[in-house]
Amino acid sequence: MTDTRTFVVPFADLHAQYLGMQSAIDAAIAGVIRTSAFIRGPFVQKFEEEFASAIGAKHCISCANGTDSLYIALHALGLKPGDEVIVPALSWISTSATVTQAGGQVVFCDIEPSGFTIDPAGIEAKVTPRTVGIVPVHLYGHPADMDAIMAIAAKRGLWVLEDCAQAHLARFKRRNVGTFGVAASFSFYPGKNLGAMGDAGALLTNDADLARRMAMYARHGGLVKGDHQFEGINSRLDGMQAAILSAKLPHLAGWTARRQAIAAQYSCLLAGIPGLELPVVSAECEHVYHLYVVRHQRRDELTKYLAARGIQTVINYPMALPFLPAYRRLKHSPRDFPVAHRDQSRVLSLPMFPEITPEQIRIVCDAVRSFAAEAT
Ligand SMILES: *Cc1c(COP(=O)(O)O)cnc(C)c1O
């Protein structure tokens, strides 16, 4: 990770968050060391209960990282060779790679023209007799259209697995994402809205039987030592990450409110800049701004211009999934996913973290404005 001190405005600043709650984090870590509860044990169980209740689900199964949580869920849902799973064309590769790894076939669907989540209007055309499920991603922290997606799933008899890696506490119609599908996957990668100090992930579900199968698969195929009902994998949250996450969880709502206030300030200061498209929030959605993503025709020039002024930005993602070398076998062309293809050369994520100062936001916005002015 880059040293944030070399930037006027870093993209994120994990150390600032630590400094804001140093004694609680240090005490959490010391507590795990004192009791040697390194793997599973009371800290893991406590966090599982707290996280399930924070989102509003009955069961939480923690695991080693967000990617594993997708893989574990897909496996427990009984994916068979040839089964097709519909995923959005724009996401982090975990969303699609885990479908393949769990034995299924990835079927990409384009994203909405104005937002960045899977376009429900495109899903039905992708359903075949072999389709078993849909994995919507609440990308950047904006909920996918869960009404439309759940309606299609019900009509076609498909399951829905929500990828909530970027959307802790995001809400659709006043209900937390992660409570719509049969199961939901979360990542606590350090840079996520709720981040551990290492890798961590979890699954949520209200289905007791699915919860049991997911927990068994994550724990060598059995919940009691020595009992192996089938060959599972080893994917577990460790006690230190769990204790750190428990210390951070009470702050999540406040950090989320900060992200929303920062986004509001950005959107106010960036309004009316020619050529710049700001993120839009769909009706009845609460965006939690894991990322604040703008679109610009000359994105690469804008990126360089900001970098020259000490402003660190990131491109999420420089290539939509169907066009990656990893999916060359599917032989997709840009016209298969026109929106995702258009966006991959236009999206730019501006600095976004709860501790960013109003002055830093102003520096970013002034630079974006002067780029637009110099260019015209
Ligand atoms: C971060 C992320 C994941 C994977 O999480 P890891 O904890 O990094 O394995 C999956 N899907 C999306 C959309 C993500 O952003």
Side-chain angles (χ1 to χ4, degrees):
M1 189 149 276
T2 331
D3 187 341
T4 56
R5 283 165 301 186
T6 60
F7 293 97
V8 177
V9 187
F11 181 69
D13 188 350
L14 299 181
H15 195 64
Q17 187 186 66
Y18 170 65
L19 292 178
M21 54 178 302
Q22 187 169 3
S23 57
I25 297 282
D26 292 357
I29 294 170
V32 176
I33 296 173
R34 207 178 308 115
T35 55
S36 301
F38 299 120
I39 299 294
R40 294 211 60 78
F43 297 100
V44 172
Q45 197 182 336
K46 179 168 176 284
F47 175 68
E48 287 178 340
E49 286 163 13
E50 290 167 352
F51 191 64
S53 123
I55 304 298
K58 283 194 190 135
H59 309 279
C60 174
I61 296 96
S62 61
C63 62
N65 57 68
T67 307
D68 275 9
S69 68
L70 287 166
Y71 175 67
I72 291 161
L74 289 163
H75 216 283
L77 285 164
L79 221 55
K80 296 185 304 301
D83 284 353
E84 296 175 357
V85 178
I86 299 172
V87 308
L90 187 68
S91 184
W92 177 241
I93 192 168
S94 304
T95 313
S96 51
T98 49
V99 170
T100 312
Q101 285 149 5
Q105 300 289 326
V106 177
V107 175
F108 291 112
C109 177
D110 209 355
I111 54 168
E112 294 193 17
S114 64
F116 294 101
T117 53
I118 192 166
D119 187 359
I123 295 178
E124 285 222 74
K126 301 281 178 177
V127 177
T128 76
R130 295 155 78 122
T131 309
V132 294
I134 309 169
V135 186
V137 181
H138 307 296
L139 200 70
Y140 308 151
H142 187 293
D145 183 349
M146 294 313 292
D147 270 356
I149 293 165
M150 295 311 292
I152 296 165
K155 185 170 146 202
R156 300 300 198 116
L158 312 174
W159 47 252
V160 172
L161 167 62
E162 293 176 74
D163 184 339
C164 304
Q166 304 187 358
H168 317 70
L169 295 188
R171 300 209 291 172
F172 180 81
K173 293 198 169 170
R174 309 202 145 265
R175 186 167 145 196
N176 281 327
V177 301
T179 61
F180 291 86
V182 66
S185 152
F186 285 84
S187 166
F188 308 113
Y189 176 81
K192 296 287 161 78
N193 287 22
L194 177 61
M197 290 180 153
D199 273 314
L203 287 153
L204 294 182
T205 184
N206 287 330
D207 180 330
D209 187 53
L210 180 63
R212 214 175 122 268
R213 280 182 281 131
M214 294 194 297
M216 285 172 77
Y217 189 67
R219 291 158 64 181
H220 294 296
L223 301 180
V224 180
K225 203 161 194 149
D227 171 46
H228 306 282
Q229 297 293 322
F230 51 83
E231 291 175 318
I233 62 169
N234 172 21
S235 181
R236 52 201 175 196
L237 180 65
D238 66 75
M240 265 188 217
Q241 300 310 332
I244 290 164
L245 288 167
S246 281
K248 287 190 175 191
L249 185 57
H251 297 276
L252 181 59
W255 290 332
T256 302
R258 273 293 301 148
R259 287 178 183 273
Q260 290 164 339
I262 293 157
Q265 195 187 345
Y266 266 134
S267 293
C268 178
L269 294 177
L270 294 173
I273 296 181
L276 186 76
E277 276 180 55
L278 304 181
V280 283
V281 183
S282 305
E284 305 199 71
C285 284
E286 278 174 54
H287 194 331
V288 294
Y289 296 99
H290 171 57
L291 298 170
Y292 184 90
V293 180
V294 299
R295 293 183 178 101
H296 199 284
Q297 289 279 12
R298 286 181 294 115
R299 187 267 320 271
D300 293 337
E301 284 168 67
L302 174 58
T303 306
K304 284 200 200 92
Y305 187 92
L306 296 176
R309 283 150 187 81
I311 298 164
Q312 188 184 28
T313 58
V314 174
I315 295 167
N316 305 89
Y317 298 91
M319 200 176 278
L321 296 172
F323 312 124
L324 289 169
Y327 295 103
R328 207 173 275 143
R329 66 178 188 276
L330 300 177
K331 299 188 166 59
H332 282 306
S333 79
R335 19 174 229 290
D336 297 336
F337 309 97
V339 183
H341 186 261
R342 179 199 67 186
D343 279 349
Q344 69 181 17
S345 56
R346 303 201 314 170
V347 290
L348 185 65
S349 308
L350 300 182
M352 169 57 81
F353 52 98
E355 300 79 8
I356 193 171
T357 65
E359 180 53 25
Q360 286 176 310
I361 299 171
R362 220 167 291 120
I363 291 168
V364 176
C365 297
D366 287 348
V368 175
R369 197 170 280 281
S370 62
F371 171 80
E374 281 176 31
T376 50

